Amino acid sequence: MQTLEFILGGFQSVFQIAAFLTVVIGLLVGVIAGALPGISFVNAMAMALPFTYTMDVTHAMLFLGGIYVGGVFGGSISAIMINVPGTPASLPATWDGYAMTKKGQVKRALTIAVTASAIGGLISALMLTFLSAPFASFAMKFSQPEFFAATVLGLVSVIAIAKDKPVITMISLLVGMAIGTVGVDPLFGQARFSFGVPEIESGIRFVVVMIGLFAIGEVIDLVATDRDLRPKKTEGKAVGASFRDILDVKGAILRGSGLGCIIGIIPGAGATPGAVISYGVEKQVNPRGAEFGTGVEGGLAAPEAAKNATTGAAMIPLLTLGIPGSAATAIMLAAMMLQGVNPGPLLFVMDPSMVYTIFAAMIIANILMIGAGVGVAQIFSFLMRTPPAILAGFIVILSLIGAYGVRNNIFDVYVCLVFGVIGWVMKRVGFPSAPLVLGVILGPLAERYFLTSIANSHQDYTVFFSRPISGSILFIAALFVLWSLWPSVRARIGRRSAAS
């Protein structure tokens, strides 16, 4: 009963003009930043941090929370419309979302994406409001071995994404993991694979790799094949998804939301593993799983719901334990500490009005996101009417600016161009590039968690299996691999039986 009183007070605070405008402005900034390839909502939050110095802690959290909610979805706008994910978490949106765009269903794809994202975010915001304490106590049990196991689960989910080509998928994944090792060793501080080039010692950023493979590679392929990026026109007036279309993917939305909530609460996991794992699971359980990648609505709805479901879940360990669950919540932690507020269990006792105002703002932001997402998508829709050559030039300029803006380093621009050529070659020979990107993102995380786990356990390699939570996650990962490979194994057994 007390919780309901607090949340009603939170809604009253949010609906004050200043607070409401703060949420709306943050939401719009997040959607726009997420939709711009290479900018990312995390960078937008970091750039917005100095602006919070003049705000009180509640308004600062409302502003950053709005950017967080809008930015996680915003990357899917460019992913669906021009096949360039604005954020790594929006990578799965290119697989079925862009396929729908090529069929002339861009408005339908955007409607499904923004609705699924809003529902997933809303469910996680409600979970944040009513289930913070028990979920946070579970996340508190996670240490480095559990983080490693969760990252391994994210890596093996790649097999399910392209299980029809398991060998080249794993090769692409391993190449990406190798690229992720370039730079300085996280444990011993030694340079690896830098070949004496100082710029390489700082590592290769996954954002730069992603921009090169998808944006620059797409433009090169466009020029080489004289392909028109504009979607095919449909008969009659193009319309968004109907209420019936949303009901048809309700199962995918609910499954994605559930997985996103579970994964988001794990500190360090974030939206990218949530979206990828959700896509892999949905491909296994969806009746049209074999058609994923060709424009299946469930393949778009599940990861969209999952990645936004991580937003509220990631804030649970932040507010109840003072542990940031993602890079975005780490920035929010910095904003709170700069204001002299230390999050933790006592925060619910000392200042419950601020806590529940944040909860209410997260709920409202996810509802408003539907309008904000559609509005920003309308701006991007003008790009689809431009000639392909102009659109390609716009993508190149925006991508190179985004690559440079990652570290304000011209070397990253050169790396982006190199991976653009690599991405085009991979596309021409039918080599999947998505596993490579996921390897670059998740590989360094798995390495760091593995090394720190071994160091903390005094070289005991059984620590991953002796701990109940990490052992259970690794067991699930093993089952996931076997489940994904079983169709190809069964087909091979059938061919051998037929031959004999």
Side-chain angles (χ1 to χ4, degrees):
M1 189 68 181
Q2 191 177 32
T3 301
L4 291 175
E5 293 178 0
F6 281 140
I7 193 64
L8 288 175
F11 277 113
Q12 290 178 352
S13 299
V14 173
F15 280 117
Q16 293 179 2
I17 295 177
F20 187 76
L21 289 178
T22 300
V23 174
V24 171
I25 293 172
L27 188 65
L28 290 173
V29 170
V31 174
I32 294 171
L36 296 174
I39 303 300
S40 89
F41 67 92
V42 175
N43 291 339
M45 292 179 70
M47 290 185 288
L49 187 60
F51 293 95
T52 64
Y53 297 164
T54 59
M55 305 178 185
D56 61 66
V57 63
T58 302
H59 283 78
M61 292 295 288
L62 297 186
F63 183 50
L64 293 175
I67 297 176
Y68 187 22
V69 171
V72 172
F73 163 72
S76 298
I77 294 176
S78 55
I80 291 171
M81 299 186 74
I82 57 177
N83 200 32
V84 180
T87 61
S90 298
L91 181 62
T94 63
W95 300 330
D96 281 283
Y98 184 63
M100 293 178 67
T101 295
K102 291 193 292 185
K103 295 178 180 178
Q105 301 175 1
V106 59
K107 289 187 178 180
R108 189 161 178 262
L110 286 170
T111 305
I112 291 175
V114 71
T115 304
S117 297
I119 293 174
L122 184 60
I123 290 174
S124 74
L126 293 173
M127 186 185 76
L128 169 68
T129 303
F130 297 103
L131 301 176
S132 290
F135 272 90
S137 63
F138 175 75
M140 194 175 182
K141 300 177 182 178
F142 275 70
S143 187
Q144 298 300 308
E146 286 75 24
F147 295 151
F148 171 74
T151 308
V152 169
L153 181 61
L155 287 169
V156 301
S157 67
V158 175
I159 301 175
I161 294 173
K163 64 180 181 179
D164 53 333
K165 300 179 180 178
V167 176
I168 62 174
T169 298
M170 289 305 300
I171 292 175
S172 180
L173 176 66
L174 293 174
V175 170
M177 295 176 66
I179 294 171
T181 64
V182 174
V184 176
D185 181 274
L187 190 61
F188 301 103
Q190 298 293 320
R192 302 179 299 188
F193 307 114
S194 62
F195 305 105
V197 180
E199 291 85 353
I200 301 181
E201 291 183 3
S202 60
I204 297 176
R205 296 294 187 268
F206 66 83
V207 175
V208 177
V209 174
M210 184 183 70
I211 293 173
L213 286 176
F214 292 100
I216 305 298
E218 188 74 23
V219 170
I220 295 175
D221 187 66
L222 168 69
V223 174
T225 59
D226 194 24
R227 180 164 47 90
D228 193 341
L229 281 179
R230 289 172 289 190
K232 298 176 182 178
K233 292 184 178 181
T234 56
E235 295 182 3
K237 184 179 179 180
V239 296
S242 64
F243 182 71
R244 180 65 186 175
D245 292 328
I246 303 300
L247 286 179
D248 289 341
V249 294
K250 64 180 184 299
I253 294 175
L254 293 176
R255 284 188 290 269
S257 300
L259 283 170
C261 288
I262 294 171
I263 295 169
I265 202 172
I266 301 173
T272 301
V276 174
I277 293 174
S278 176
Y279 187 90
V281 171
E282 187 63 27
K283 185 171 184 178
Q284 301 295 322
V285 302
N286 195 293
R288 299 181 60 191
E291 303 174 36
F292 273 33
T294 62
V296 179
E297 293 81 356
L300 173 62
E304 287 300 299
K307 66 185 177 67
N308 270 79
T310 63
T311 55
M315 292 184 66
I316 292 177
L318 169 68
L319 295 175
T320 59
L321 300 173
I323 300 174
S326 63
T329 52
I331 296 173
M332 299 175 78
L333 173 63
M336 297 182 74
M337 297 184 70
L338 286 171
Q339 299 280 356
V341 177
N342 294 314
L346 289 178
L347 189 63
F348 287 75
V349 178
M350 302 298 293
D351 197 354
S353 62
M354 184 196 73
V355 173
Y356 283 91
T357 299
I358 295 171
F359 291 169
M362 294 292 289
I363 294 173
I364 293 171
N366 279 286
I367 296 174
L368 294 177
M369 186 178 64
I370 296 178
V374 172
V376 174
Q378 289 295 325
I379 298 174
F380 270 76
S381 67
F382 287 106
L383 294 176
M384 310 305 291
R385 303 174 187 175
T386 60
I390 296 176
L391 181 58
F394 175 81
I395 294 173
V396 170
I397 294 173
L398 191 62
S399 299
L400 295 182
I401 291 174
Y404 180 80
V406 172
R407 294 184 295 181
N408 295 328
N409 191 337
I410 192 64
F411 179 76
D412 288 335
V413 175
Y414 301 145
V415 173
C416 178
L417 293 173
V418 169
F419 275 97
V421 176
I422 293 174
W424 173 68
V425 173
M426 293 177 69
K427 187 170 186 176
R428 298 292 286 179
V429 300
F431 210 82
S433 57
L436 188 148
V437 174
L438 296 174
V440 176
I441 296 172
L442 300 179
L445 291 177
E447 179 190 24
R448 183 167 71 249
Y449 295 145
F450 177 80
L451 292 176
T452 51
S453 298
I454 295 301
N456 293 337
S457 63
H458 306 289
Q459 308 299 314
D460 181 11
Y461 289 88
T462 64
V463 66
F464 303 105
F465 307 99
S466 59
R467 296 173 65 95
I469 297 178
S470 61
S472 300
I473 295 175
L474 289 175
F475 179 71
I476 294 172
L479 291 178
F480 197 39
V481 171
L482 294 175
W483 188 18
S484 302
L485 293 177
W486 172 243
S488 59
V489 173
R490 183 174 58 184
R492 180 171 296 183
I493 294 175
R495 286 195 297 268
R496 288 184 178 178
S497 300
S500 61

